Amino acid sequence: MSATDVIGLSGREPTQPWFDRDVQFDHYGAQRVPFGCTGASGLVQHFVELTGRDAGRAFDVLDASGGYGSACLGAGSDVIAEALSSAVREAGYVTDEVASSERSLLLERLFGPGGLFADRFPAADYRVSGRNSGSEGMELALRLVLESRFDHRRLRAVPGAEQRDIVLCFEGAWHGWSQGLLPLINRRHYRVGLPTVASEQFGFRTDHIPFGDLDAAQEWFDRHAERVLAVVVEPIQGDAGILVPEHGYLRELAALAKRSGALLVADEVLTFAKTGRFFAMTDVSGPIPTDITVIGKSLGMGALSTSMVIARRELGVRPTGTVSTSDLRPLTCAVIRAGLEHIVAEGLVERAGQVGEHLGLLLRDQIVAEFPDLYREARGLGLMHGIELTEFAAARIGDLRNCMIRNGVYVEFMSGAGRRSRGLRYVNTTMRVAPPLVTTADDAATIATRLAVGSRALRELAA
């Protein structure tokens, strides 16, 4: 079988095999994997080799990534297919200027009496807005933070708020690629040479402290409590390598923010529905209160890119300042509602906690313990896990990923937290193992087995 056989249309010779490789912008620095996908079903992706002596070879891989953590129901969900089909035919496409029955059904199901999120975000206290992506959602969250200092009619600072000009963030954090979010990340690679927010009237600066270090947070607030405007935190740091804080850290951080008068922004774009609960800003005492929470990725059910910004009612923006074409359109609402109803009916969030605990044990016992030359540590919660690479493996990351794929498991890699302050150790590049919510215990075992086979293949390649 050749590559042209795989992608050719019936009765038509393709003029250019895998034309997207020539035309689509390369965001990866010419390091994209040498595989194509011809379809998928559930967790199974149908791949084909694009280069080398095996070009055209078709094979299946088990998805351990969930499409950057977004395809929570895997591929080919009948529930989502029906929701899309029905919404296209019936739901309409009005913007948020016009009330929508589909939008109302979704928001009542989430925030109305007895709603899925009502215990955490009662409608009397919170409002919601929709955006195209997690990055856009975080942009709106930052906008709400900055405008909280303003008299929106006179466009000047509210008396007493002039001195609040610091947004506290965390080393290794990742909140999105877009320009307005660059000040929130402390990675020079993404910031150097690009515009940043200058110090000026109504400007702001960002400080970064180690994530999970409560002493560092307390010391920082002791110095800056009167100037802090907001704290922006991931409950589990994703791109930093799935760093899970100790129990009690997030609640204490929330208390520090509240006592200082700062807003607390939770970036739950990646963690939403993945940790055994809908929201990772939760501990044994229940929900940890936030002023703004952004959810995304799994919210679109793998069919749409979307996000929600859930903010306290007193927070707002100047009129027309954040109008969005994508603000909870009826079709989007229909997909979200159908997907969440299915997730609840099947108990998929709770199952993610159980299957994820099993997966975590397998990763520690069968991967990290068996391959200490390749892996340093496995960390995670629910169906969000990271396997940190050793320097040896990190130097061979391209070969490692190809070995995994060729041995039947699709994984992604994260930057790691890198160098951190206060004597905390360097965190290397980390393999993300975050399969969809529909993953079973048997799937988890198969993923671990194939990761082990791929690891042995790298050893042989590097020998």
Side-chain angles (χ1 to χ4, degrees):
M1 179 183 292
S2 69
T4 53
D5 290 330
V6 173
I7 70 165
L9 300 176
S10 178
R12 183 189 306 172
E13 289 296 320
T15 57
Q16 176 68 50
W18 305 101
F19 191 65
D20 62 327
R21 280 300 169 95
D22 290 335
V23 177
Q24 186 180 20
F25 193 94
D26 178 9
H27 297 278
Y28 300 93
Q31 295 179 12
R32 292 182 291 187
V33 294
F35 308 102
C37 179
T38 61
S41 177
L43 267 64
V44 178
Q45 303 273 351
H46 309 304
F47 272 27
V48 63
E49 292 266 5
L50 299 185
T51 60
R53 65 183 182 183
D54 291 328
R57 180 181 74 92
F59 62 104
D60 288 345
V61 300
L62 204 59
D63 177 26
S65 74
Y68 285 157
S70 65
C72 63
L73 299 180
S77 167
D78 290 337
V79 170
I80 300 306
E82 176 58 31
L84 279 167
S85 177
S86 297
V88 167
R89 292 193 307 266
E90 302 166 5
Y93 53 84
V94 293
T95 66
D96 60 326
E97 285 186 295
V98 180
S100 159
S101 58
E102 195 62 61
R103 189 184 304 121
S104 294
L105 288 170
L106 171 64
L107 297 185
E108 184 174 12
R109 181 68 177 98
L110 298 183
F111 304 102
L116 288 178
F117 306 160
D119 61 333
R120 181 184 295 264
F121 304 114
D125 299 326
Y126 288 86
R127 295 183 294 182
V128 63
S129 181
R131 286 298 184 269
N132 275 316
S133 65
S135 294
E136 288 188 24
M138 287 303 299
E139 288 262 14
L140 177 55
L142 182 59
R143 181 69 171 270
L144 289 167
V145 163
L146 298 177
E147 296 226 13
S148 69
R149 302 174 295 176
F150 276 92
D151 178 325
H152 294 148
R153 185 171 63 86
R154 298 179 180 179
L155 293 183
R156 64 187 185 193
V158 174
E162 299 93 342
Q163 79 278 13
R164 291 198 178 269
D165 61 351
I166 306 177
V167 176
L168 176 62
C169 301
F170 296 87
E171 295 169 357
W174 188 256
H175 299 293
W177 293 96
S178 57
Q179 187 67 48
L181 299 175
L182 288 180
L184 304 187
I185 61 177
N186 69 321
R187 304 184 191 200
R188 186 174 184 274
H189 172 77
Y190 295 110
R191 294 174 58 165
V192 68
L194 298 175
T196 57
V197 179
S199 297
E200 57 176 315
Q201 186 183 20
F202 305 135
F204 76 100
R205 80 171 210 223
T206 53
D207 281 1
H208 295 85
I209 63 174
F211 178 72
D213 187 331
L214 191 56
D215 289 339
Q218 182 66 68
E219 291 173 15
W220 188 90
F221 274 95
D222 287 344
R223 296 193 306 272
H224 301 294
E226 298 302 316
R227 292 185 59 188
V228 61
L229 177 61
V231 178
V232 181
V233 65
E234 302 160 89
I236 295 173
Q237 280 198 323
D239 199 62
I242 312 297
L243 300 184
V244 183
E246 291 185 359
H247 294 298
Y249 172 76
L250 293 172
R251 188 168 292 277
E252 286 299 319
L253 183 67
L256 286 170
K258 184 175 182 179
R259 285 197 296 269
S260 73
L263 298 172
L264 180 61
V265 180
D267 179 348
E268 294 233 31
V269 172
L270 180 60
T271 54
F272 175 69
K274 298 286 285 186
T275 64
R277 301 181 175 98
F278 274 116
F279 297 94
M281 288 293 287
T282 308
D283 61 16
V284 293
S285 299
I288 298 170
T290 60
D291 298 292
I292 304 171
T293 296
V294 183
I295 58 178
K297 290 194 180 291
S298 292
L299 191 68
M301 306 297 151
L304 302 171
S305 177
T306 189
S307 65
M308 276 188 184
V309 182
I310 308 165
R312 292 195 183 277
R313 281 186 169 270
E314 59 267 27
L315 298 174
V317 296
R318 64 199 70 179
T320 72
T322 52
V323 172
S324 172
T325 303
S326 60
D327 192 349
L328 296 177
R329 287 292 186 99
L331 185 144
T332 303
C333 293
V335 170
I336 294 172
R337 185 164 65 92
L340 290 177
E341 294 289 9
H342 177 66
I343 286 170
V344 170
E346 296 295 319
L348 296 183
V349 170
E350 295 79 8
R351 194 174 84 183
Q354 299 159 5
V355 173
E357 184 176 0
H358 176 56
L359 176 60
L361 290 172
L362 294 174
L363 297 181
R364 289 190 290 274
D365 294 344
Q366 297 184 17
I367 308 302
V368 176
E370 293 295 322
F371 301 93
D373 53 327
L374 302 182
Y375 308 114
R376 178 167 187 167
E377 183 179 48
R379 304 177 289 263
L381 186 65
L383 286 174
M384 279 184 60
H385 292 270
I387 306 175
E388 186 180 344
L389 309 186
T390 62
E391 291 184 9
F392 175 85
R396 296 161 175 80
I397 192 169
D399 288 339
L400 175 58
R401 192 177 195 194
N402 290 345
C403 284
M404 292 300 180
I405 293 174
R406 289 192 173 103
N407 284 281
V409 61
Y410 184 81
V411 292
E412 297 164 343
F413 291 86
M414 301 168 292
S415 300
R419 187 174 292 106
R420 299 179 292 171
S421 61
R422 293 175 64 90
L424 295 175
R425 74 170 179 84
Y426 189 96
V427 178
N428 271 328
T429 302
T430 301
M431 182 192 307
R432 179 161 65 193
V433 183
L437 296 182
V438 292
T439 301
T440 65
D442 287 345
D443 293 328
T446 302
I447 287 170
T449 297
R450 294 183 182 185
L451 289 172
V453 175
S455 299
R456 283 191 287 272
L458 179 70
R459 272 182 176 171
E460 296 171 2
L461 187 65

